[in-house]
Amino acid sequence: MVSLDYPAFHLLVTTFSLLFLSASPSSPFSSLYAGQFSKIYAFGDSYTDTGNTRSHTGPSGYAHVSNLPYGMTFFHHPTNRYSDGRLLVDFLADALSLPFLPPYLDRTTDSAHGVNFAVAGATAIDHEFFVRNNVPLAITPQSLSTELGWFDGLMEKKGCGKVASVECDSAMKNALFWVGEIGANDYAYTAVSSVTNSTVQRLAVNTTLTFLQALIKRGAKSMVVQGLPMLGCLPLSLYLAPPDDRDSIGCVASMNRVARDHNARLLSGVRTLRQSHPSVTISYADFWNAHRAVVSSPAKYGIREPFKTCCGTGGGPYNFQAFATCGAPDASKACAEPSEYVNWDGVHLTEGMNAVLAELFLRGGYMDPPFTRLLRNKRVRV
């Protein structure tokens, strides 16, 4: 047996470690579906926004997204993402071997591989509806119609002023349209108003379906549409709701029913769109059931805290206080291991939870049709 003195052994181990680490992928999804799409156009709210918002335009109570500890885990500095690190759409880009999507409002970035139009606080319903109905919490003016307008503006800059033109074909070719979670803010903003949940559901779902039709009209062929998560499992909901409003897994029963019913209506509309546009693949990402799977069996997914806020204050079962949210000076500190938590700041998710969702959506059976079938359909069209 060959013996090594300590310095030689240490050098060997260090060299091996560096080689191993340099060869390690940046995420579990690196290049999983490399070359399948050349660009992504993303839409939605703070669950998808990679930097379109700023602290004064984001959700009320989360005005400190430009401060650490936001961004601490992966980027090591704030990026105006509402998380400690990467979002679901970042893992999607990594799986497609594409760069992280630049926010539309950052005009200095390259849009060759797509653009992110999502903005924190955005609603499905047009902002004018909330103004007309005196909804005081709706401070963010952007909605899906805003994001569609931004998309149209980008297409015009690319010379795509007419559908089916050569420029439009180039802009749309090999593009994945990712419509992230949208609609949760519509319910949150109207919670203290006279607008009913049934009205919000009807308008928000109809607006989302109209938005999908508009993208199809503009040439979208491959689309993913997310449903709402289990809104009743977010620390904010658990903090505000009475203790007797709980379901079998400890979440707010009434809010989970709202999200479930919203998703059922959305999925029904998506199925109708599929029938009307057989050449377009629209995959539904089942956020509600993916979220439930993790909260119901957290240890299976490496999660220790399904309900407690990582970056919050107050201790107790939720570690959350509405007036001392993450990033506020001297208000809260991040937990030591965010990857062991579902919830980052009481409303938004940790990078670890986003990675779990990426696994469940891209490989775990929580998309209908599965992502692999969406890819097969794309290849058939080509």
Side-chain angles (χ1 to χ4, degrees):
M1 183 176 181
V2 177
S3 62
L4 292 172
D5 60 17
Y6 175 76
F9 178 73
H10 179 73
L11 177 62
L12 178 64
V13 171
T14 301
T15 303
F16 175 80
S17 298
L18 288 173
L19 288 171
F20 176 78
L21 289 172
S22 65
S24 298
S26 59
S27 83
F29 313 99
S30 289
S31 303
L32 178 65
Y33 301 118
Q36 299 297 322
F37 289 99
S38 62
K39 59 183 76 74
I40 305 168
Y41 297 120
F43 307 86
D45 61 17
S46 56
Y47 277 42
T48 306
D49 182 6
T50 56
N52 282 313
T53 189
R54 292 295 182 267
S55 59
H56 65 281
T57 60
S60 179
Y62 290 89
H64 306 288
V65 69
S66 298
N67 301 339
L68 282 169
Y70 283 95
M72 58 175 271
T73 296
F74 180 80
F75 302 99
H76 308 299
H77 62 85
T79 64
N80 287 295
R81 286 169 171 81
Y82 283 77
S83 181
D84 60 306
R86 289 165 289 186
L87 306 179
L88 175 58
V89 72
D90 295 317
F91 289 112
L92 171 70
D94 204 42
L96 296 173
S97 197
L98 297 175
F100 293 152
L101 292 182
Y104 170 74
L105 293 181
D106 183 355
R107 306 302 170 84
T108 66
T109 53
D110 182 6
S111 63
H113 297 290
V115 174
N116 194 328
F117 301 95
V119 58
T123 54
I125 303 170
D126 287 353
H127 183 66
E128 288 73 18
F129 169 83
F130 302 104
V131 174
R132 289 197 308 270
N133 286 276
N134 299 311
V135 177
L137 295 179
I139 63 169
T140 302
Q142 289 86 7
S143 65
L144 280 179
S145 65
T146 307
E147 296 178 23
L148 183 63
W150 289 350
F151 174 77
D152 286 342
L154 178 68
M155 291 299 104
E156 288 177 8
K157 288 184 178 180
K158 291 180 177 290
C160 177
K162 183 179 180 181
V163 176
S165 67
V166 173
E167 292 81 5
C168 285
D169 288 343
S170 176
M172 296 293 187
K173 186 178 181 180
N174 218 21
L176 173 64
F177 287 77
W178 183 272
V179 182
E181 186 275 335
I182 191 76
N185 291 320
D186 301 64
Y187 292 102
Y189 293 160
T190 55
V192 292
S193 74
S194 60
V195 180
T196 64
N197 284 338
S198 60
T199 297
V200 173
Q201 179 194 113
R202 175 176 55 82
L203 294 177
V205 171
N206 289 350
T207 302
T208 303
L209 295 172
T210 300
F211 174 78
L212 297 179
Q213 287 179 311
L215 293 179
I216 292 171
K217 182 178 179 180
R218 286 157 174 77
K221 295 294 183 183
S222 299
M223 308 174 72
V224 176
V225 183
Q226 280 183 250
L228 298 181
M230 297 189 82
L231 299 176
C233 295
L234 301 177
L236 174 63
S237 298
L238 291 162
Y239 173 84
L240 293 174
D244 60 348
D245 185 6
R246 296 293 186 270
D247 58 19
S248 61
I249 57 174
C251 299
V252 180
S254 59
M255 289 305 301
N256 278 347
R257 284 194 298 270
V258 166
R260 182 198 61 199
D261 293 347
H262 176 104
N263 291 343
R265 187 171 189 145
L266 175 62
L267 181 55
S268 176
V270 166
R271 287 170 173 161
T272 300
L273 280 179
R274 289 173 183 158
Q275 294 174 351
S276 303
H277 304 278
S279 65
V280 178
T281 303
I282 310 174
S283 186
Y284 174 74
D286 191 351
F287 201 164
W288 197 95
N289 278 305
H291 195 175
R292 182 182 176 86
V294 178
V295 172
S296 299
S297 303
K300 179 180 177 182
Y301 301 95
I303 299 293
R304 181 170 56 86
E305 294 288 354
F307 300 126
K308 186 174 288 187
T309 302
C310 171
C311 184
T313 54
Y318 312 126
N319 190 39
F320 180 81
Q321 294 185 74
F323 299 103
T325 53
C326 184
D330 302 321
S332 60
K333 295 181 180 179
C335 61
E337 298 292 342
S339 63
E340 296 180 354
Y341 287 64
V342 166
N343 301 288
W344 167 242
D345 59 10
V347 170
H348 308 99
L349 308 177
T350 63
E351 176 182 280
M353 180 59 174
N354 285 320
V356 170
L357 290 172
E359 174 70 27
L360 294 176
F361 289 155
L362 299 180
R363 295 191 287 202
Y366 285 85
M367 284 180 60
D368 176 27
F371 196 72
T372 51
R373 191 185 303 173
L374 181 147
L375 298 179
R376 285 200 300 269
N377 291 351
K378 171 184 170 290
R379 288 193 291 268
V380 169
R381 287 197 303 271
V382 174

